């Protein structure tokens, strides 16, 4: 199964000056079931890419969770927030929940297909 890659638009608020704080920006959601089946990656504009447990993203859509430099929580009924902490500062990324749910569904489909392919070889 190929890598899952979904492009999305998100609002980014950061305490640094490097990212746009007002408009929606393109982000990339990635999942590689063969090389890293338990993690997802979120690529922000520029060289910023974060890898963290897929389970953290899933749990964070229902209730606030955090693990190391990444925190996820629901924000109202239709949005979710992913917060990234680094030595350069904090980036808060606001997504539509349905975008993240669609991405998670694709990752589980990809993981199941990869598991089936491994069993048959």
């Amino acid at each position: 199964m190929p890598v899952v890659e979904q492009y999305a638009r998100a609002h980014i608020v950061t305490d640094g000056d490097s990212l746009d704080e007002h408009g929606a920006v393109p982000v990339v959601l990635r999942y590689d079931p063969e090389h890293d089946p338990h993690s997802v990656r979120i690529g922000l504009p520029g060289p910023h890419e974060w890898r963290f447990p897929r389970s953290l993203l899933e749990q964070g859509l229902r209730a606030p969770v955090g693990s190391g430099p990444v925190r996820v929580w629901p924000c109202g009924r239709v949005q979710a927030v992913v917060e990234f902490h680094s030595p350069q500062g904090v980036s808060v990324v606001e997504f539509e929940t349905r975008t993240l749910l669609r991405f998670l569904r694709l990752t589980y489909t990809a993981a199941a297909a990869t598991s089936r392919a491994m069993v048959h070889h």
Side-chain angles (χ1 to χ4, degrees), residues 3 17 24 33-34 36 77 88 91 93 103 113 116 118:
V3 172
D17 295 325
E34 290 184 21
D36 198 358
R77 298 174 68 155
Q88 291 75 37
S91 292
V93 185
F103 173 68
R116 284 193 301 273
M118 289 179 170

Side-chain angles (χ1 to χ4, degrees), residues 15-91:
D15 61 0
D17 295 325
S18 60
L19 298 175
D20 178 11
E21 295 187 7
H22 302 291
V25 298
V27 297
V28 181
L29 308 170
R30 288 190 183 96
Y31 174 70
D32 186 340
E34 290 184 21
H35 295 102
D36 198 358
H38 301 292
S39 297
V40 294
R41 293 180 289 167
I42 295 181
L44 303 179
H48 311 284
E49 184 172 84
W50 294 84
R51 188 180 75 185
F52 57 95
R54 178 174 61 170
S55 59
L56 184 75
L57 183 59
E58 183 178 16
Q59 293 166 10
L61 296 180
R62 295 188 302 271
V65 294
S67 175
V70 180
R71 293 171 180 80
V72 184
W73 67 89
C75 181
R77 298 174 68 155
V78 298
Q79 295 180 322
V81 171
V82 183
E83 184 178 280
F84 302 105
H85 294 255
S86 72
Q88 291 75 37
V90 177
S91 292

